[in-house]
Amino acid sequence: QVQLVESGGGLVQAGDSLRLSCAGSGRTFSAYIMGWFRQAPGKEREFVAGISLSGGRTYYTDSVKGRFTISRDNAKNTVYLQMNSLKPEDTAVYYCAAVRRWSAVTTGGEYDYWGQGTQVTVSS
């Protein structure tokens, strides 16, 4: 069992930065590939970024490449999402989640555990 709690969301202006954190409980945190997803009002949930067990491999959706960075600290059971050059279209509730297989990293339905989400609002 892994419990995930996100934090770090807020209201910022376009061009600003935010760092989201996702704290995991349980000794098996390091056994899971971690992903960040987001869901904007009226839209489907979408994959944002994923990171491998050791952190050596990452993957991003095209719209955030070069602006967002995912990282993890297994000693702290925490995964991060550094978001730079934020745009109004980044406004959404951001969720972290845990999955076992790298091949499923972009597929929300394959994830085993989810956090409750944190709101990110970017004003223009």
Side-chain angles (χ1 to χ4, degrees), residues 34-79:
M34 298 300 297
W36 284 97
F37 288 76
R38 66 187 179 186
Q39 187 166 22
K43 295 187 176 181
E44 293 187 353
R45 180 180 62 195
E46 67 169 341
F47 168 80
V48 176
I51 190 165
S52 62
L53 300 179
S54 66
R57 187 176 183 183
T58 58
Y59 186 74
Y60 300 91
T61 192
D62 286 346
S63 62
V64 308
K65 284 180 181 177
R67 299 188 299 122
F68 291 12
T69 302
I70 188 171
S71 62
R72 68 189 297 166
D73 185 340
N74 288 335
K76 296 182 178 180
N77 281 4
T78 302
V79 62

Side-chain angles (χ1 to χ4, degrees), residues 14 21 24 28 34 36 49 63 92-93 97 99:
S21 298
T28 59
M34 298 300 297
W36 284 97
S63 62
V93 177
V99 68

Side-chain angles (χ1 to χ4, degrees), residues 33 37 47 99-111:
I33 294 154
F37 288 76
F47 168 80
V99 68
R100 287 285 196 180
R101 296 182 295 114
W102 182 255
S103 60
V105 70
T106 64
T107 309
E110 295 290 327
Y111 278 68

Side-chain angles (χ1 to χ4, degrees), residues 7 14 19 29 34 47 98 106 122:
S7 62
R19 188 176 81 156
F29 178 85
M34 298 300 297
F47 168 80
T106 64
V122 185

Side-chain angles (χ1 to χ4, degrees), residues 86-117:
L86 283 161
K87 305 176 180 180
E89 50 264 42
D90 294 318
T91 295
V93 177
Y94 283 71
Y95 300 89
C96 69
V99 68
R100 287 285 196 180
R101 296 182 295 114
W102 182 255
S103 60
V105 70
T106 64
T107 309
E110 295 290 327
Y111 278 68
D112 298 302
Y113 301 104
W114 291 82
Q116 84 289 346

